[in-house]
Amino acid sequence: MKNKEFFKSIVELTSDIIWEVDENWCYTYISGKVKEYMGYTADELIGKMPLSLMTDDETEKIKNKVRIISSRRGNLADIEIKVFNKKKDIRYLMINGMPILDSEKKFRGYRGVVRDVTDKKLAESAYKESENHLSTLMNNLPGMAYRGSFTNGFKMEFVSEGAYALSGYTPSVFVEKGISSKSIIYPDDIKMVKTTVRNALNDKKQYDVIFRIITADSKIKWIMDKGFGIYKDGTLIGIEGFSFDITETREAVEYGIKNERRFKNLFESNPQGITIADRDGFIIQANRRWKQMFGYTDADISKLHMSSLRLQEYRNSDISLFKSLFNRDNAFYRIERSFEKNDGSVLWYDLTAALLDDPDEQDLYVIGLYVDITERKKIEEELKRLHGDLENIVIERTEEINRLTLKVINSQEEERQRIARDLHDGVGQSILAAKYAFNSFMNGDCKDNKLLEKGKLLIDMASQELRGVYTGIYPHMLGELGLKDTIDWFIRNFLEASGMEVINKNTLVSDVPYNLSINIYRIMQELFNNIVRHAEADTVTVLLCHEGNSVVIEISDNGKGFDIEKAGKTCTGAGLINVRKRVEYLKGHLEMESIPGRTWTKIEIPVEQR
């Protein structure tokens, strides 16, 4: 009895649950410790099967396992089961037990202990989950995590899945076959990498190195490797680190450096002057061309304000334009301005200014592009002056044309009056005298033949005078006789008839086109008229000949002379103006000299007119 009580006290004091089941696996005994772990009293579980406390999936798994063990009458060793306590919370139990046999070796059930391993199980699950999470994190990182040991040489102990994406080699190649990151380093970089890592490890500092590797498919990548040593009692026993691909970053940096050099070269070698100014208007940078334009040095730029370049009349307006960029009123502006150089001289420049935009609007600057337009401005001023001169010339020519028009009108009127006088004083008087003679003859006895002859003579005279009048108006004989004979006739019946001595050197040897003949006749007619009317000369020399492909007219007299320029500006000089216009029309050349006692005119006209 005492042994029984002693055994019971020991059972109650142990931290494990003591249990017994019969051959049907129903509880026949369970210690009171079950209340603490499961929430059930011993009485609530006596007669029930342990399987009734398990989840369905757990029941199937344990039932098969226990059936096999019990059929062999084997021991239950560290069988882990998952059950629900009275509050329906999951508990994890570790079962150990042995079969119960009676004196006749007949199987009567199992006796054993149950230990609550819930806390341990949850800790293991948390650790495993954490380890899985860490493994997943490591494997999903865009790079390769690694750990190596120096215990027996150097050997990789762990390499993350990122090794394949980084190098083309699987983690197993690094760990099992012994390939290391150093063995795939670009040959030219090996010495630098070893030195950098060794120095950092000797100083017990983190190493940080950038180098190239050759991947499994023979590509070259840029790698950044960061790591640190693992020490035990001050001795280096391993390393841990992380490698990641910076090829794109490296290329971007190199591209940025290259672009920066390009921009700098573009900035400095640009044929336009370029400045960069801050929001206060101070020039913080200028290229070589701009400094040459304005005569400033690098030392001058740091204290140069944009307003100091402007003439006083432009300063306020230009500062307003400059501020309009920062106020977002203008995206850019372009102006032509005269600027003052460092030496005080003033030149013209075409300026385009624009804001160097910054999305954050922290540091805003204005870029200015300057083009020297001083020469263009000079040309524009000269063109403006010439345009004004041309307008004055047009006005003068218009006035001259108006004067010429008036002269032509007056000349036409004078010619009409002359024709009327010639008809009245010559032809008209002769016809009137003939009429009187014929009337006297008719009114007499018609036997006075002298009156008849006189009338006929007067009619002949009128006919000759009329021929002279219409010949002056339109020379029909040009078509009949040609230019040479017509000029000879005109000299005899006009110049010589006026009482002048004429030295005639008319030597034309070939016919001249009819249209040209009419113009030459009109030119010589005008010159002969001027001599008869105004020269008061008694001797005239006339030359008309061929020289090469031109007809040459040369006429001189010994008259009183006249002022050629003055004559061209008066109404009485219309004849001379007509001569000039005809010569210009015929693409000819006119020379004229006049002094008291001599007036000389020479005209050259090409025979072939275009």
Side-chain angles (χ1 to χ4, degrees):
M1 187 68 178
K2 288 181 180 181
N3 287 338
K4 186 177 181 180
E5 292 296 327
F6 176 73
F7 177 75
K8 182 177 180 181
S9 64
I10 291 175
V11 169
E12 294 298 331
L13 289 174
T14 185
S15 59
D16 295 333
I17 302 171
I18 306 300
W19 57 270
E20 281 186 2
V21 293
D22 59 18
E23 61 270 21
N24 295 318
W25 285 91
C26 292
Y27 283 116
T28 58
Y29 173 79
I30 190 166
S31 65
K33 205 68 176 179
V34 71
K35 174 73 174 177
E36 181 180 340
Y37 295 136
M38 299 295 292
Y40 294 101
T41 63
D43 293 339
E44 289 178 299
L45 296 179
I46 295 298
K48 292 184 178 180
M49 297 178 68
L51 296 177
S52 64
L53 302 176
M54 299 179 189
T55 61
D56 294 339
D57 56 339
E58 191 75 2
T59 300
E60 290 298 321
K61 182 175 70 173
I62 297 300
K63 183 189 294 186
N64 293 332
K65 191 171 185 179
V66 170
R67 185 177 65 250
I68 294 171
I69 294 173
S70 61
S71 65
R72 298 173 183 172
R73 302 297 186 262
N75 293 332
L76 303 176
D78 294 332
I79 296 176
E80 185 181 289
I81 63 173
K82 182 169 63 174
V83 297
F84 289 110
N85 64 11
K86 195 171 184 177
K87 294 181 179 180
K88 301 302 180 183
D89 294 328
I90 293 176
R91 306 296 293 182
Y92 292 92
L93 304 176
M94 183 70 71
I95 300 175
N96 286 278
M98 60 180 62
I100 303 172
L101 302 175
D102 60 13
S103 57
E104 296 177 357
K105 305 298 183 181
K106 186 177 181 178
F107 176 70
R108 295 298 182 183
Y110 268 90
R111 177 184 299 122
V113 296
V114 172
R115 177 170 293 175
D116 189 337
V117 293
T118 301
D119 292 340
K120 179 183 176 183
K121 186 67 177 179
L122 292 178
E124 288 177 351
S125 297
Y127 176 77
K128 187 175 181 180
E129 184 178 349
S130 176
E131 192 174 57
N132 291 337
H133 178 73
L134 180 60
S135 178
T136 301
L137 179 64
M138 288 293 231
N139 290 328
N140 289 331
L141 283 173
M144 179 183 80
Y146 62 88
R147 182 176 62 252
S149 172
F150 290 109
T151 304
N152 293 312
F154 180 79
K155 184 178 185 302
M156 285 288 192
E157 294 181 339
F158 168 77
V159 174
S160 69
E161 294 295 332
Y164 184 76
L166 182 71
S167 66
Y169 297 101
T170 62
S172 61
V173 173
F174 284 94
V175 175
E176 296 172 8
K177 295 186 178 181
I179 185 173
S180 67
S181 59
K182 291 181 180 179
S183 62
I184 62 174
I185 296 175
Y186 192 76
D188 292 348
D189 296 345
I190 291 176
K191 183 177 180 180
M192 179 272 295
V193 173
K194 286 184 176 180
T195 302
T196 303
V197 174
R198 183 173 60 248
N199 291 341
L201 293 176
N202 290 339
D203 295 336
K204 295 185 178 181
K205 294 181 179 178
Q206 175 180 298
Y207 57 83
D208 191 338
V209 60
I210 295 175
F211 57 93
R212 289 166 290 179
I213 65 169
I214 302 175
T215 65
D217 55 357
S218 300
K219 292 181 179 178
I220 295 177
K221 287 186 178 181
W222 280 94
I223 300 298
M224 175 174 279
D225 192 30
K226 294 176 177 287
F228 51 85
I230 302 173
Y231 302 89
K232 182 177 182 181
D233 299 328
T235 302
L236 179 69
I237 62 172
I239 57 172
E240 289 184 343
F242 185 76
S243 300
F244 54 96
D245 187 353
I246 61 166
T247 303
E248 291 185 2
T249 305
R250 182 79 180 192
E251 290 174 352
V253 169
E254 291 180 350
Y255 181 75
I257 293 172
K258 187 182 294 185
N259 275 355
E260 184 178 359
R261 286 197 298 266
R262 287 176 180 170
F263 174 78
K264 187 174 181 180
N265 291 336
L266 177 64
F267 182 80
E268 285 297 334
S269 62
N270 200 293
Q272 294 181 331
I274 305 176
T275 61
I276 297 176
D278 61 20
R279 64 169 65 242
D280 295 322
F282 285 96
I283 297 175
I284 61 173
Q285 194 172 357
N287 71 343
R288 186 184 306 113
R289 176 58 180 152
W290 188 91
K291 286 178 282 191
Q292 291 173 351
M293 284 178 169
F294 286 85
Y296 288 99
T297 64
D298 289 331
D300 300 324
I301 299 298
S302 60
K303 52 190 174 183
L304 192 62
H305 194 272
M306 56 162 284
S307 61
S308 61
L309 306 172
R310 267 68 173 176
L311 300 182
Q312 187 65 41
E313 58 191 290
Y314 299 130
R315 286 183 182 174
N316 291 337
S317 60
D318 283 9
I319 289 174
S320 296
L321 277 173
F322 184 81
K323 290 181 178 178
S324 71
L325 297 176
F326 293 98
N327 296 335
R328 308 290 180 170
D329 296 330
N330 290 317
F332 72 94
Y333 64 83
R334 182 177 179 179
I335 55 175
E336 293 183 357
R337 284 282 188 271
S338 52
F339 290 85
E340 187 174 357
K341 294 178 60 177
N342 192 23
D343 60 5
S345 59
V346 175
L347 296 178
W348 278 91
Y349 293 95
D350 182 320
L351 167 62
T352 301
L355 195 66
L356 292 176
D357 208 353
D358 181 359
D360 298 329
E361 296 194 8
Q362 294 177 352
D363 296 317
L364 296 180
Y365 301 95
V366 169
I367 185 170
L369 305 177
Y370 294 76
V371 179
D372 190 341
I373 58 170
T374 304
E375 289 302 317
R376 195 197 82 192
K377 280 293 182 180
K378 289 180 180 178
I379 293 172
E380 287 178 354
E381 290 297 322
E382 182 65 18
L383 288 175
K384 186 177 180 181
R385 185 187 65 78
L386 292 175
H387 182 71
D389 293 344
L390 182 61
E391 286 185 344
N392 293 333
I393 291 172
V394 170
I395 292 173
E396 292 177 0
R397 291 294 181 267
T398 302
E399 292 177 352
E400 182 179 352
I401 291 171
N402 291 335
R403 289 197 303 270
L404 290 177
T405 303
L406 181 60
K407 287 179 181 180
V408 170
I409 293 172
N410 291 336
S411 177
Q412 289 175 344
E413 189 60 32
E414 290 177 359
E415 187 65 16
R416 291 189 185 99
Q417 293 176 1
R418 184 186 67 77
I419 294 171
R421 285 196 303 270
D422 289 345
L423 291 174
H424 179 270
D425 295 342
V427 178
Q429 295 300 323
S430 297
I431 292 176
L432 183 61
K435 179 183 176 181
Y436 289 152
F438 287 136
N439 286 337
S440 297
F441 176 77
M442 295 297 295
N443 292 332
D445 55 7
C446 298
K447 295 179 179 179
D448 190 353
N449 290 331
K450 292 181 179 179
L451 290 174
L452 184 58
E453 291 297 327
K454 183 178 180 181
K456 289 171 63 178
L457 179 60
L458 289 170
I459 290 297
D460 288 338
M461 290 175 59
S463 176
Q464 290 294 329
E465 291 173 352
L466 184 59
R467 182 181 180 86
V469 171
Y470 66 66
T471 298
I473 297 172
Y474 187 79
H476 289 278
M477 65 179 64
L478 274 175
E480 299 172 2
L481 304 177
L483 179 60
K484 180 179 184 304
D485 292 339
T486 300
I487 293 300
D488 288 341
W489 177 88
F490 194 65
I491 289 173
R492 290 193 303 271
N493 288 275
F494 187 69
L495 289 180
E496 292 179 352
S498 299
M500 297 182 186
E501 179 184 352
V502 179
I503 301 172
N504 187 0
K505 299 180 180 180
N506 184 353
T507 61
L508 282 177
V509 295
S510 61
D511 292 336
V512 177
Y514 185 73
N515 185 57
L516 180 60
S517 297
I518 292 175
N519 281 285
I520 291 175
Y521 175 80
R522 293 302 185 195
I523 290 170
M524 297 185 73
Q525 181 186 34
E526 201 67 60
L527 294 174
F528 290 165
N529 283 334
N530 286 342
I531 293 172
V532 171
R533 292 180 181 178
H534 309 295
E536 299 178 6
D538 53 20
T539 302
V540 179
T541 300
V542 178
L543 171 66
L544 181 62
C545 65
H546 281 284
E547 285 188 7
N549 294 323
S550 298
V551 174
V552 177
I553 304 167
E554 189 172 345
I555 301 173
S556 62
D557 65 75
N558 63 350
K560 62 181 180 179
F562 64 97
D563 187 333
I564 296 174
E565 293 297 326
K566 185 177 179 180
K569 297 179 181 180
T570 62
C571 292
T572 57
L576 184 59
I577 293 172
N578 287 337
V579 170
R580 286 176 175 163
K581 293 300 181 184
R582 285 184 187 273
V583 173
E584 290 177 4
Y585 170 73
L586 298 171
K587 305 295 187 295
H589 176 69
L590 169 65
E591 294 181 62
M592 181 173 287
E593 296 176 358
S594 184
I595 58 174
R598 182 175 183 272
T599 297
W600 169 81
T601 304
K602 182 178 181 180
I603 300 170
E604 293 183 20
I605 299 173
V607 175
E608 293 185 4
Q609 295 290 309
R610 294 181 181 178

